[in-house]
Amino acid sequence: MSKSKNNKISNVLFAVFILLLLIPQTRQPIQVFLQKGLALFSPAVEDKSDQERLDTYQWNLTDLNGVSYDFKSAEGKVVLINFWATWCPPCIAEMPSLVKLHDDYKGKIQFLFVSNEDKAVIAAFLKKRGFNLPVHQPVSAVPEALNTSSIPRTLLIGKDGSIVIDKTGASNWNSDTVRETIDKLLLE
């Protein structure tokens, strides 16, 4: 094939790709697919000297059934908090790895999946994908160390309140690195 014919084919494919991104029904699946490539990588563990410490556990939430949850009850436990939304492609891309981690570590560590969206929207999202996760909504202000302006943001907090992993963006939460880190934190 000639170089100009290859260029034409490339240009047509690029134009089709851009067009698909402009169509609302195809935009999110394409974005999720692209984000899954980024979600192949494990999040980095913070160096001990760089770990921020949670200074307060004053935070109230409710689950999707309206049951109150006082974050103070998580003090002294290993906690994984994921801030996410159903409309967020990176959140959707990393969710399967978080579900696998949750399924293996529920009861061992405290999981909080936090979203500000309407409860019905969240419930429909979880049902459609077959996810059984403890989703909560904030009732009071988020502690400053956990406050976020970008999602997804996921934090792994040790028993002493140290933020061991603080990752914004899609990641592989079911990785050996994360599992080994959790296992070490559970032994402390």
Side-chain angles (χ1 to χ4, degrees):
M1 239 189 286
S2 71
K3 189 173 182 176
S4 83
K5 189 169 184 173
N6 278 341
N7 283 342
K8 286 179 185 178
I9 292 172
S10 295
N11 288 341
V12 168
L13 290 175
F14 182 71
V16 168
F17 179 73
I18 296 298
L19 182 63
L20 289 173
L21 284 176
L22 295 174
I23 300 169
Q25 294 84 353
T26 58
R27 180 181 315 131
Q28 188 182 49
I30 291 171
Q31 290 174 328
V32 169
F33 176 77
L34 294 173
Q35 289 292 327
K36 282 190 182 208
L38 295 174
L40 293 174
F41 300 101
S42 180
V45 177
E46 301 282 334
D47 289 331
K48 276 265 192 217
S49 60
D50 294 333
Q51 290 177 3
E52 193 175 337
R53 181 167 262 127
L54 196 57
D55 56 351
T56 182
Y57 283 80
Q58 299 295 330
W59 188 26
N60 294 306
L61 304 104
T62 60
D63 68 13
L64 296 182
N65 297 316
V67 177
S68 295
Y69 177 80
D70 185 350
F71 187 55
K72 192 106 174 114
S73 67
E75 194 167 5
K77 297 178 183 175
V78 177
V79 182
L80 187 135
I81 303 172
N82 174 255
F83 294 93
W84 69 287
T86 63
W87 51 262
C88 165
C91 302
I92 296 166
E94 75 175 1
M95 193 61 70
S97 70
L98 284 162
V99 168
K100 287 178 187 169
L101 190 70
H102 172 263
D103 290 349
D104 288 347
Y105 283 92
K106 68 181 169 196
K108 296 176 186 172
I109 72 172
Q110 178 67 55
F111 285 90
L112 292 172
F113 294 89
V114 181
S115 179
N116 286 325
E117 289 183 279
D118 181 79
K119 290 178 185 183
V121 171
I122 296 169
F125 175 88
L126 295 174
K127 183 178 180 181
K128 178 180 176 183
R129 287 167 176 76
F131 295 158
N132 184 21
L133 299 171
V135 177
H136 291 81
Q137 297 180 304
V139 175
S140 65
V142 177
E144 189 174 329
L146 306 177
N147 206 3
T148 185
S149 59
S150 298
I151 57 173
R153 180 177 183 212
T154 307
L155 301 105
L156 180 62
I157 302 168
K159 293 177 184 177
D160 65 352
S162 295
I163 299 174
V164 179
I165 297 176
D166 185 350
K167 173 70 172 140
T168 300
S171 201
N172 177 10
W173 291 96
N174 193 36
S175 68
D176 290 341
T177 300
V178 172
R179 287 175 170 274
E180 289 166 7
T181 303
I182 290 172
D183 291 341
K184 284 180 192 172
L185 291 172
L186 288 170
L187 294 174
E188 291 180 355

